[in-house]
Amino acid sequence: MSSPIERQEEIAQYAQDVRAALADVPEADRAELLEDLEDHLAEVAAESDEPLANRLGTPAAYATELRAAYGTGTVRTRRSVRATATGTYQSMESRLRAKVEGSPAFGAVWNFLKEFRSLWWIVRAWVAALLLWRFWDDDWHARPWGAAQWMVLVVFVVASIALGQWSRAHPDRSPRALIIGLNGLAVLLLVGIQVNLGLTHLASRGIEKIGVMAAPSVAESPSAAPDVANLYPYSKDGKPLKDILLYDQDGRPLQLDYEAHGYQLDRCGSPPPIANSYPLPLRQQDDPDMEPTPGPSCVPGSPMPAPKSSDGPTFTPTPTPAPTSTPTPTPTR
Amino acid sequence: MDTTQLLKGVLDLAVLAVLDRSDSYGYDVVRRLREAGLDDVGDASVYGTLRRLFKAGALNSYVVPSEEGPHRKYYGLNDAGRAQLAGSAKTWAAFAHTMNDLLDDVDKGTP
């Protein structure tokens, strides 16, 4: 049981703290407001032995409540202290948001994006469905491939729209942090999936291209030199050679893609041409529009122009050194 | 919905109504409001309201000396205060009537 003197001291201390908290109030109002303060505190103190703060709250809280009731007529109740704390946080959050959304550039962008809110509800449902399908089938599917998967997508879309509408109607009750977190996750996943799919697509296209490029040379001839139609071997002295059989490094007959250059084998000569006997007897391909003549056609076509001797290799054959004197057996005496 | 929001608008009216019945000092006004059923009302809110109503000219005040305890400052309604009470009471009655109509089909429980 506190003594009267201690009680007096408590009252005096409490009053002093309240006055201090109201130091910024204009003097006239302040005097008015605090005129009966000590009397009131004394009455409360007389009521029970409890510390003043139990009944009245902290001096700072008391001062705020007093100020509010005096200035604007707003009322705070004993139970509202915790509500005020939450309210302060919420008002901080909304002030911050107001500041961010107020900046012209950001505000314009954000307001524009808000128009797509409904679309976002559908997109995030699709992302969630994507994840589910991934675990379902162990592979990425961009669209549902069966009735069950369609059902899943529909359920997610409906749930997402319902959630979006509900949280818009109840801004105070929705777990904002959680929803914002999940939304952020969905955005990340969406970006990640797009990047992933894009890379995979690029990779598969790249492989296709390589395959296409490699195909002809692999399929058509084992060792083709694509740009060459015919070969003209020359001897060291610059003499054109004929009927030279050529083979590649693996021992296969060398074959050239003369048809790609508009040539065909001239089969009108007496012996049938050997495929790797160079130079090949080539001639211009027959005009495909011409009517096929009955019987074996052997219209002398224009042969492939052969390089003239003087058109031979432009390089000057490196002068070979004079044959070294072969050791001849000296006749023994 | 807790009564905080509701009290914001009507504490003036409640204080005037209490003082209309009989003059009173601050602490006593708080006690009587709580007895009437407004148990959430805060002390400082009532004191601040009293000072504001007084400053606005709706209340008289006088000090009653006491031999055993502290002197107490009493508040009472003057003509302006009574006029304000009458006007606010009318506004309140109309508002309450409207709300009750709106809530006609809603089960409000027995008060």
Side-chain angles (χ1 to χ4, degrees), chain A residues 29 32-33 35-36 39-40 43-44 47 55-56 62 65-66 69-71 73-79, chain B residues 4 7-8 11 25-27 34 39-40 42-45 47-49 51-52 54-55 71-73 75:
Chain A
D29 287 335
E32 178 77 27
L33 199 50
E35 205 176 299
D36 306 331
D39 293 336
H40 295 152
E43 296 276 7
V44 171
E47 188 186 65
R55 156 87 178 250
L56 301 174
Y62 187 96
E65 195 181 331
L66 191 61
Y70 183 72
T74 50
V75 164
R76 280 180 32 175
T77 63
R78 288 182 295 176
R79 293 199 195 144
Chain B
T4 318
L7 271 179
K8 272 186 190 168
L11 187 60
Y25 57 98
Y27 180 80
R34 294 215 179 117
D39 15 51
D40 278 352
D43 291 68
S45 296
Y47 298 149
T49 302
R51 296 312 302 172
R52 180 167 44 81
F54 177 76
K55 184 176 162 194
H71 302 321
R72 288 202 174 110
K73 179 188 270 179
Y75 293 93

Side-chain angles (χ1 to χ4, degrees), chain A residues 7-330:
Chain A
R7 214 59 173 136
Q8 285 290 343
E9 279 175 4
E10 188 192 353
I11 291 173
Q13 183 62 49
Y14 196 95
Q16 184 182 344
D17 291 340
V18 170
R19 285 175 196 278
L22 293 172
D24 58 322
V25 177
E27 194 46 49
D29 287 335
R30 190 159 175 261
E32 178 77 27
L33 199 50
L34 295 166
E35 205 176 299
D36 306 331
L37 180 60
E38 272 83 354
D39 293 336
H40 295 152
L41 295 178
E43 296 276 7
V44 171
E47 188 186 65
S48 86
D49 247 355
E50 279 183 355
L52 287 174
N54 277 22
R55 156 87 178 250
L56 301 174
T58 64
Y62 187 96
T64 308
E65 195 181 331
L66 191 61
R67 183 204 296 255
Y70 183 72
T72 63
T74 50
V75 164
R76 280 180 32 175
T77 63
R78 288 182 295 176
R79 293 199 195 144
S80 71
V81 174
R82 184 154 52 108
T84 313
T86 325
T88 311
Y89 167 72
Q90 280 173 349
S91 74
M92 247 172 50
E93 184 204 346
S94 57
R95 273 208 306 273
L96 186 66
R97 283 222 322 228
K99 213 180 262 182
V100 163
E101 290 172 4
S103 88
F106 189 91
V109 171
W110 186 242
N111 280 328
F112 179 71
L113 287 180
K114 283 208 274 199
E115 298 291 314
F116 295 95
R117 198 191 295 255
S118 312
L119 183 63
W120 167 245
W121 293 341
I122 296 176
V123 168
R124 72 180 177 190
W126 176 70
V127 170
L130 272 185
L131 274 181
L132 188 65
W133 296 333
R134 174 70 175 85
F135 289 115
W136 200 323
D137 198 39
D138 229 20
D139 190 15
W140 288 107
H141 291 266
R143 291 194 303 268
W145 68 97
Q149 289 72 26
W150 270 110
M151 274 294 300
V152 163
L153 181 62
V154 167
V155 165
F156 278 6
V157 167
V158 169
S160 172
I161 292 178
L163 175 68
Q165 287 183 332
W166 180 85
S167 71
R168 246 218 282 203
H170 300 87
D172 50 324
R173 280 174 48 195
S174 68
R176 284 197 66 89
L178 179 65
I179 289 184
I180 289 175
L182 287 177
N183 272 340
L185 195 63
V187 169
L188 281 177
L189 279 172
L190 190 62
V191 171
I193 290 172
Q194 291 301 331
V195 170
N196 191 19
L197 286 176
L199 288 177
T200 318
H201 182 63
L202 272 178
S204 64
R205 282 229 331 237
I207 290 172
E208 267 178 23
K209 266 205 186 129
I210 295 172
V212 164
M213 278 185 353
S217 41
V218 170
E220 285 177 23
S221 55
S223 54
D227 289 339
V228 180
N230 208 343
L231 288 172
Y232 293 88
Y234 279 74
S235 73
K236 210 163 44 172
D237 332 332
K239 262 181 54 187
L241 304 172
K242 293 173 79 127
D243 302 323
I244 305 298
L245 296 174
L246 294 178
Y247 300 86
D248 68 9
Q249 73 282 357
D250 297 324
R252 289 173 299 191
L254 187 71
Q255 294 176 20
L256 297 180
D257 192 8
Y258 43 82
E259 289 194 347
H261 292 264
Y263 293 101
Q264 65 182 72
L265 278 178
D266 188 354
R267 298 180 187 277
C268 290
S270 28
I274 302 174
N276 66 330
S277 165
Y278 289 95
L280 295 169
L282 295 181
R283 66 178 200 171
Q284 302 279 1
Q285 276 178 356
D286 289 336
D287 188 351
D289 290 339
M290 268 172 42
E291 288 176 4
T293 51
S297 62
C298 219
V299 178
S302 43
M304 188 185 198
K308 301 198 276 273
S309 303
S310 56
D311 284 352
T314 50
F315 63 90
T316 47
T318 50
T320 52
T324 52
S325 48
T326 51
T328 49
T330 43

Side-chain angles (χ1 to χ4, degrees), chain B residues 3-99:
Chain B
T3 47
T4 318
Q5 299 294 319
L6 293 173
L7 271 179
K8 272 186 190 168
V10 299
L11 187 60
D12 284 17
L13 180 56
V15 167
L16 289 172
V18 162
L19 292 176
D20 189 48
R21 289 185 186 169
S22 69
D23 293 0
S24 194
Y25 57 98
Y27 180 80
D28 194 47
V29 173
V30 176
R31 184 187 61 80
R32 285 160 71 182
L33 286 172
R34 294 215 179 117
E35 265 176 24
L38 300 177
D39 15 51
D40 278 352
V41 76
D43 291 68
S45 296
V46 176
Y47 298 149
T49 302
L50 281 169
R51 296 312 302 172
R52 180 167 44 81
L53 287 173
F54 177 76
K55 184 176 162 194
L59 304 178
N60 294 333
S61 81
Y62 51 93
V63 177
V64 170
S66 159
E67 283 142 20
E68 54 205 20
H71 302 321
R72 288 202 174 110
K73 179 188 270 179
Y74 276 73
Y75 293 93
L77 293 184
N78 57 20
D79 287 337
R82 275 182 283 273
Q84 183 173 337
L85 172 61
S88 297
K90 264 200 197 111
T91 309
W92 166 260
F95 184 74
H97 183 78
T98 307
M99 285 307 298

